[in-house]
Amino acid sequence: MPDRGSGRGPGGPNGPRGPRGPGGPRFNVGRPSRGAKSLLITAAILAGLAILFAMFAGFWTDWLWYRSVGYTSVYRTELLTRITMFAVFGVLMALAVGFNVWLAHRLRPPLSAMSMEQQNLDRYRMTIAPYKKWVLLAVSLVIGLIAGGSASGQWRTWLQWVNGTTFGTTDPQFHMDVSFYAFDYPFYRFLLGFGFAIIVLSTLAAALTHYLYGGIRLTTPGSRITQAATGHLSVLLGLFVALKAVAYWLDRYGLALKSGDFRNAEGWTGLRYVDANAYLPAKTILTIIAAICALLFFATLWRRGWQLPVIGLGLMVLSAILIGGVYPALVQQFQVRPNEQAKETEYIQRHMESTKDAYDIADAQIEDYGGTSDASPETLRNAVGDTASIRLLDPSVVSPAFQQIQQVRGYYQFPATLDVDRYPTEDGGEQDTVVGLREMNINELPERNWINEHFRYTHGFGVVAASGTSIQENGQPEFTEENLPPEGDLPDYEPRIYFGEYTTQYSIVGGPQQEIDYAGENGEVEYSYTGDAGVKLDNWFNRAAYALTMGEPQILYSGAIGNGSQILYNRTPKERVEAVAPWLTIDGDPYPAVVDGRIQWIVDAYTTSSGYPYSARTTLGDVTETSLTENQGEVIAQESRVNYIRNSVKATVDAYSGEVDLFAWDESDPVLETWRKAFPGVVEDRDQISDQLMDHLRYPQDLFKVQRDLLQRYHVTNAGQFYSGSERWEVPNDPTHDGEVVPPYYLSMRMPDQEDQVFSLTTTFTPLNRDTLAAYMAVEADARSEDYGTMRILTLPSTTTVWGPSQVQSRFNSDPDIAERINLLRRGDSEVEYGNLLTVPLEGGLLYVEPVYVRGAGQNYPLLQRVLVAYGEEIVFEESLDRALDVVFGVTESGEDPGEEEPPPPDGGEEPPPDGDATVQEAIDEAQDAWQDGQDALAEGDWQAYGEAQNRLEEALDRLADLEGRNEQEETPPEEDGAA
């Protein structure tokens, strides 16, 4: 009778389960029924299809989006390049590793040595034996997939190498065209790195296979490695050393791109004396040694033993330490340091010239400027109007005024920092204009739900513009375009804003669900989108794909979606331009303009490279950060550190249709030409830019910030000045925003060598670690001008003290009279805000103008109340710019002295002096009463009463200042005559 407990008999636990008794039922325990099998198979198929659909949905929605904007060629080129590189390099890696594993298995010894180590390995060999082919395939496939995925990320490198365009400029050391370093060298480095990865992984896989099958024995007595394994691994090690020889040779050219800090050049790039005279010959010698060492490894195929290749490898390592490390250190210590300036002069000069060329600052016009003026007061006063259109409306301060006065509904918003543009005036001229768009803010909807957020409140409405140089009497902006529907000086245009800086949510438009168009006098007007900017949701497949990618299942079954419905997404100008041109770096501040009856977002785009030899590297995100970038954004670069940049493309995004157009701006840029070869037809020629669009193109702020950062160090012309750093500048801190540098300002102005005002971008420089003014720079920003992009730099003599921005602000703040009058404005919990401190060169001197805004208690926006002006040693604080200019120059526009004393009384007698203390107190009381009346009128919206109160306040303050001056004169004792 079989032992049931042993499991060997029919009744045992491991035996067949028969009937439990005569006539008893037979059970198939643990085996699913046919219906259950069908259900499981169906569930598995459905799960697989769901996974495949989820993987496909992302690709499909991307394709639909690119088709909706008309740039499928971009998506197709990028996708095919990625797939090709994934396939080619993935297959290469898989074949290389798989072949070496197969070869190691084929070269295994016929019999394993009888040892404990081999007996332990026998169990693993027996386990793998039935599945050897599948294991080999799986390992190769996994490694190939990883390698292919890594290689596909280099699609830009491949396209640049294939389509590279020459620069026409060679580096001074190797005399190679810059295109070699920008386009060829990165791809060669990629191939070299991939080759090292293949050899390393193949060597590890082969060594592991040899060990598993006895070709390598670690503890077995006798020979530790078979001759076949020795030959196989020697070839792989020889290939590794051969690649190292190639790496040493490429390292020679890499010295032209070598980065580091040197003296006054953070981000130094290029060879220095020790590189050219020690590292360069060392790399050449090491190349030869590595090539010889590789041959010694290959020789083991015919000569047994690793003695010679190991000796050669040791010599290579020793040479790398001595020749590549110790020798350059000795040269640096005993040749360079004792006379560093003389040794490095040639290389500093190369670095300076390359940096200026790479950042397009080589042609900056630098001239001396005295900083003081001998002109008469009348000449100075009359010259102001011809020199600059001084913008009092600060786009970083007045946004709350736009918000409160022109918001109309709580769900509209304006950017925290508005934009400055130019628009025509009635007399045929132009004026600087502060512009903002009324965009949708879904966070402030009256009721937030899916329908409201994505179907009803879908777009903003209208441009709001105000004169930059004139203000209403009550301190409000003087709007030139306002209200809903829009009315003002602008020609008729499509006012609806479906694509904007703050439009980040998706919307579904054009279907059965009507949208809120704008808030009119009789309530909210409805509208249905008529454009074709979105992807049509006219079939269930598209709806399912978007339900999955957007994470919103209601898209699949909502009744609000029907015939004509389309989904809008990727709606910010930066997103759209980055998507259709992924090889461009986008400026941080797109700005709107009314062009040909449409609102167009104008986006400046840059081509960059980190492969310009000898040019200093800079981090775009760091150097473009100013006191306004929290509100305005900053450059987000694909390459964090670059050493070449051009504003090569001007892009537009239609605020209604979402249409994206790219125009070649710098058609001579070889990087742009390379990308145009890779993506033909994507960027249009420059002559396709319309005249109206050209009227609004300007020099970009972010490029200007990068250039001014470089000019702090690279404005000098000889290596000695650069080395000593004695002439180094710095961008001053914004005196009204602690810890951040002053932003550049757009301003229509005339530099000393210009005849007429031109729209410009301006900045100031101070000497390193000092607050006085070192230089003033303006770049011609009007794209219509033949001198567009011309940089003019006025350098002030170091022997003359000219007040810098922070010193001027300090003088404003410390003046007793100004401080007292500002304290009066602050009474009653009012807040004083300082606007942009503008600097204008005027007849040999510097004019500073700063608007002062007051935000009253309970008031949500600031009003312009005063203007601070400084020229030379004179500072004034007045109610208007004209008045301030009159006072600071001591004249009126007609040439009269505003401070001239009034004629004596008709009777010829002297006017009795008033009671000083009592009269001063009366003036203070009148000022307080006028201020309070103004606040009450402001709260009630009575602007006429508010203006009258402001006039009374001004009269009281003027009277107070006059009385204070008289009292000081009376209290000053007369000087005693020494001869009395």
Side-chain angles (χ1 to χ4, degrees):
M1 179 178 291
D3 184 2
R4 300 176 64 88
S6 67
R8 299 178 185 271
N14 296 326
R17 295 182 181 269
R20 295 188 178 272
R26 183 181 299 270
F27 297 98
N28 292 323
V29 179
R31 183 175 299 175
S33 66
R34 181 172 299 178
K37 282 184 178 181
S38 300
L39 185 61
L40 289 173
I41 293 173
T42 302
I45 292 174
L46 291 176
L49 290 175
I51 294 173
L52 289 175
F53 180 77
M55 296 172 61
F56 179 75
F59 157 76
W60 180 242
T61 54
D62 286 345
W63 173 263
L64 292 175
W65 186 86
Y66 275 96
R67 190 174 67 179
S68 71
V69 293
Y71 284 91
T72 55
S73 62
V74 173
Y75 188 60
R76 182 171 57 248
T77 299
E78 179 182 344
L79 186 63
L80 290 178
T81 305
R82 284 179 175 273
I83 292 174
T84 301
M85 294 192 71
F86 177 88
V88 170
F89 289 96
V91 168
L92 283 176
M93 179 65 78
L95 289 177
V97 173
F99 171 76
N100 280 281
V101 171
W102 173 83
L103 184 60
H105 178 266
R106 185 177 179 83
L107 296 176
R108 69 189 183 281
L111 296 175
S112 301
M114 297 304 295
S115 66
M116 185 61 67
E117 178 187 23
Q118 293 303 311
Q119 289 179 8
N120 290 332
L121 289 174
D122 278 342
R123 288 181 293 177
Y124 295 102
R125 289 194 288 265
M126 293 176 65
T127 302
I128 294 174
Y131 313 105
K132 285 190 294 187
K133 292 182 180 180
W134 293 108
V135 170
L136 175 61
L137 182 63
V139 170
S140 301
L141 182 62
V142 169
I143 294 177
L145 289 174
I146 295 173
S150 176
S152 68
Q154 297 294 322
W155 64 274
R156 291 185 180 89
T157 305
W158 163 261
L159 288 177
Q160 285 186 307
W161 180 67
V162 171
N163 300 283
T165 303
T166 60
F167 278 67
T169 302
T170 59
D171 78 284
Q173 182 67 41
F174 303 102
H175 308 292
M176 304 284 287
D177 191 270
V178 172
S179 61
F180 169 79
Y181 300 96
F183 307 135
D184 300 341
Y185 183 79
F187 185 68
Y188 297 153
R189 274 293 178 188
F190 161 68
L191 290 179
L192 186 64
F194 191 82
F196 274 121
I198 285 180
I199 299 303
V200 169
L201 291 175
S202 296
T203 302
L204 292 175
L208 182 61
T209 305
H210 281 300
Y211 175 70
L212 183 63
Y213 287 95
I216 297 176
R217 298 181 288 271
L218 301 180
T219 60
T220 302
S223 177
R224 300 293 177 88
I225 185 170
T226 64
Q227 185 175 357
T230 299
H232 185 192
L233 297 179
S234 294
V235 171
L236 291 173
L237 292 174
L239 290 173
F240 181 88
V241 178
L243 287 178
K244 189 63 179 174
V246 176
Y248 280 133
W249 185 257
L250 277 180
D251 285 345
R252 298 168 68 257
Y253 299 103
L255 292 173
L257 301 174
K258 179 182 177 182
S259 293
D261 291 341
F262 172 66
R263 289 292 175 177
N264 298 301
E266 297 88 351
W268 170 283
T269 301
L271 286 83
R272 289 160 48 192
Y273 181 89
V274 69
D275 298 311
N277 295 276
Y279 281 111
L280 186 56
K283 297 294 184 182
T284 304
I285 294 171
L286 289 172
T287 300
I288 298 172
I289 294 174
I292 294 173
C293 185
L295 293 176
L296 292 177
F297 272 104
F298 295 145
T300 57
L301 290 173
W302 300 276
R303 178 186 177 89
R304 295 190 61 182
W306 276 1
Q307 291 85 356
L308 285 179
V310 169
I311 292 172
L313 185 62
L315 289 175
M316 187 181 77
V317 173
L318 183 62
S319 299
I321 295 172
L322 296 177
I323 302 175
V326 176
Y327 174 63
L330 293 175
V331 171
Q332 178 68 25
Q333 180 67 32
F334 296 104
Q335 291 189 33
V336 178
R337 284 194 176 181
N339 193 17
E340 187 175 54
Q341 182 173 347
K343 295 290 186 181
E344 301 288 9
T345 294
E346 176 186 357
Y347 305 97
I348 293 174
Q349 200 69 36
R350 293 178 179 180
H351 175 75
M352 290 170 55
E353 292 172 0
S354 294
T355 299
K356 291 180 180 181
D357 289 338
Y359 290 94
D360 201 19
I361 56 177
D363 296 329
Q365 300 176 8
I366 302 177
E367 60 178 277
D368 296 333
Y369 190 73
T372 58
S373 177
D374 296 329
S376 67
E378 293 83 1
T379 300
L380 292 172
R381 178 63 182 90
N382 294 331
V384 174
D386 295 332
T387 302
S389 298
I390 298 175
R391 177 172 45 76
L392 295 178
L393 206 62
D394 186 344
S396 65
V397 175
V398 300
S399 178
F402 276 52
Q403 187 81 4
Q404 290 300 314
I405 301 172
Q406 287 296 319
Q407 184 184 26
V408 182
R409 288 290 190 272
Y411 47 75
Y412 289 128
Q413 67 174 337
F414 293 90
T417 299
L418 303 173
D419 291 292
V420 178
D421 202 349
R422 299 141 291 157
Y423 283 91
T425 57
E426 294 181 357
D427 58 5
E430 281 188 343
Q431 67 175 356
D432 292 354
T433 306
V434 177
V435 179
L437 297 189
R438 194 182 286 106
E439 293 194 48
M440 180 62 62
N441 181 5
I442 62 169
N443 295 319
E444 299 297 331
L445 296 182
E447 181 179 349
R448 296 195 62 180
N449 54 58
W450 189 64
I451 293 295
N452 275 351
E453 292 180 14
H454 299 288
F455 291 82
R456 293 283 286 169
Y457 296 91
T458 58
H459 60 277
F461 204 97
V463 176
V464 177
S467 169
T469 56
S470 58
I471 306 294
Q472 296 186 48
E473 290 185 1
N474 59 13
Q476 287 187 5
E478 186 174 301
F479 292 107
T480 58
E481 186 76 11
E482 57 185 335
N483 299 336
L484 282 176
E487 56 186 11
D489 298 339
L490 296 181
D492 292 339
Y493 64 94
E494 169 55 64
R496 297 172 181 87
I497 304 161
Y498 282 88
F499 298 87
E501 288 184 288
Y502 299 96
T503 313
T504 56
Q505 79 283 358
Y506 70 88
S507 290
I508 299 176
V509 298
Q513 180 67 61
Q514 291 288 295
E515 310 162 42
I516 299 297
D517 198 22
Y518 66 92
E521 295 181 356
N522 299 321
E524 293 177 329
V525 179
E526 292 191 331
Y527 178 76
S528 184
Y529 184 68
T530 60
D532 58 355
V535 177
K536 296 188 182 303
L537 300 177
D538 53 2
N539 60 71
W540 291 103
F541 188 84
N542 286 359
R543 292 178 67 169
Y546 278 102
L548 184 63
T549 56
M550 296 296 179
E552 180 50 69
Q554 292 187 76
I555 294 177
L556 183 61
Y557 55 79
S558 174
I561 302 175
N563 186 33
S565 292
Q566 50 185 308
I567 184 169
L568 309 179
Y569 61 105
N570 288 347
R571 298 172 69 183
T572 68
K574 287 184 65 175
E575 283 179 323
R576 296 182 80 78
V577 176
E578 283 174 339
V580 303
W583 35 273
L584 290 174
T585 299
I586 309 303
D587 190 273
D589 184 29
Y591 60 98
V594 176
V595 178
D596 298 320
R598 314 282 289 192
I599 298 175
Q600 297 281 355
W601 288 100
I602 300 176
V603 184
D604 285 289
Y606 309 105
T607 46
T608 61
S609 174
S610 59
Y612 199 101
Y614 280 96
S615 173
R617 283 192 171 90
T618 187
T619 304
L620 297 182
D622 292 342
V623 301
T624 56
E625 186 176 356
T626 69
S627 59
L628 300 183
T629 48
E630 288 186 3
N631 298 329
Q632 188 170 294
E634 63 181 43
V635 163
I636 305 299
Q638 296 165 348
E639 299 167 285
S640 59
R641 289 175 65 82
V642 303
N643 65 357
Y644 174 91
I645 186 170
R646 288 290 187 275
N647 177 213
S648 54
V649 173
K650 301 284 189 180
T652 62
V653 178
D654 192 296
Y656 183 82
S657 69
E659 180 182 357
V660 181
D661 290 310
L662 306 176
F663 301 98
W665 184 247
D666 187 351
E667 294 182 307
S668 63
D669 175 29
V671 181
L672 174 61
E673 183 60 28
T674 296
W675 287 118
R676 293 186 77 179
K677 290 180 182 178
F679 296 94
V682 172
V683 181
E684 300 180 55
D685 294 337
R686 178 170 174 159
D687 58 16
Q688 298 301 307
I689 299 176
S690 69
D691 292 339
Q692 279 203 29
L693 176 58
M694 187 70 76
D695 290 342
H696 295 279
L697 298 183
R698 67 189 192 188
Y699 201 84
Q701 288 190 64
D702 281 336
L703 176 60
F704 186 74
K705 293 174 190 175
V706 172
Q707 291 171 326
R708 75 170 181 177
D709 180 76
L710 271 298
L711 282 167
Q712 294 175 110
R713 304 180 296 279
Y714 294 92
H715 65 276
V716 297
T717 57
N718 66 75
Q721 290 177 315
F722 184 88
Y723 180 86
S724 67
S726 59
E727 298 296 322
R728 184 170 176 177
W729 301 336
E730 62 183 354
V731 179
N733 285 337
D734 190 336
T736 61
H737 295 78
D738 294 336
E740 300 292 348
V741 298
V742 64
Y745 294 121
Y746 286 107
L747 190 67
S748 291
M749 58 163 295
R750 173 174 60 85
M751 290 288 275
D753 65 330
Q754 294 176 296
E755 296 182 357
D756 301 310
Q757 292 184 23
V758 65
F759 193 61
S760 303
L761 193 53
T762 66
T763 192
T764 54
F765 295 101
T766 58
L768 184 64
N769 299 324
R770 295 179 60 195
D771 292 329
T772 55
L773 198 66
Y776 180 87
M777 181 171 76
V779 62
E780 201 153 324
D782 189 343
R784 298 165 298 186
S785 171
E786 294 181 357
D787 294 329
Y788 170 84
T790 299
M791 291 183 178
R792 296 177 172 89
I793 302 176
L794 306 178
T795 58
L796 287 90
S798 57
T799 56
T800 302
T801 301
V802 179
W803 303 115
S806 61
Q807 291 176 316
V808 170
Q809 187 68 51
S810 178
R811 292 182 64 203
F812 287 154
N813 296 340
S814 60
D815 183 89
D817 179 56
I818 294 177
E820 182 175 0
R821 297 172 72 182
I822 287 180
N823 285 335
L824 283 175
L825 295 176
R826 286 195 174 115
R827 293 194 176 184
D829 295 328
S830 294
E831 297 179 8
V832 172
E833 298 182 32
Y834 294 97
N836 38 219
L837 180 58
L838 300 177
T839 309
V840 177
L842 181 68
E843 299 296 314
L846 277 303
L847 175 69
Y848 287 94
V849 178
E850 183 176 56
V852 178
Y853 297 82
V854 177
R855 190 192 297 257
Q859 180 180 326
N860 294 326
Y861 60 94
L863 296 173
L864 180 63
Q865 295 296 319
R866 298 289 184 275
V867 180
L868 288 161
V869 173
Y871 189 84
E873 298 298 321
E874 299 296 326
I875 58 173
V876 298
F877 182 58
E878 299 295 335
E879 72 278 6
S880 68
L881 177 61
D882 287 337
R883 173 66 180 170
L885 293 173
D886 290 343
V887 175
V888 79
F889 294 123
V891 297
T892 63
E893 293 186 3
S894 62
E896 299 175 357
D897 185 347
E900 187 177 1
E901 296 182 0
E902 296 181 0
D907 58 2
E910 293 185 358
E911 185 177 351
D915 183 349
D917 293 339
T919 308
V920 168
Q921 186 58 48
E922 290 173 3
I924 293 175
D925 293 341
E926 290 176 8
Q928 290 177 333
D929 292 341
W931 180 87
Q932 187 59 52
D933 291 343
Q935 296 305 304
D936 294 341
L938 188 64
E940 296 175 0
D942 188 345
W943 297 113
Q944 182 177 357
Y946 178 78
E948 294 173 355
Q950 292 300 303
N951 291 335
R952 286 166 46 210
L953 176 61
E954 179 62 31
E955 292 173 0
L957 292 176
D958 290 342
R959 180 182 171 194
L960 178 63
D962 183 59
L963 291 171
E964 289 287 347
R966 291 186 183 183
N967 290 342
E968 289 178 3
Q969 292 178 0
E970 292 172 2
E971 293 172 2
T972 303
E975 295 183 2
E976 296 182 1
D977 188 348

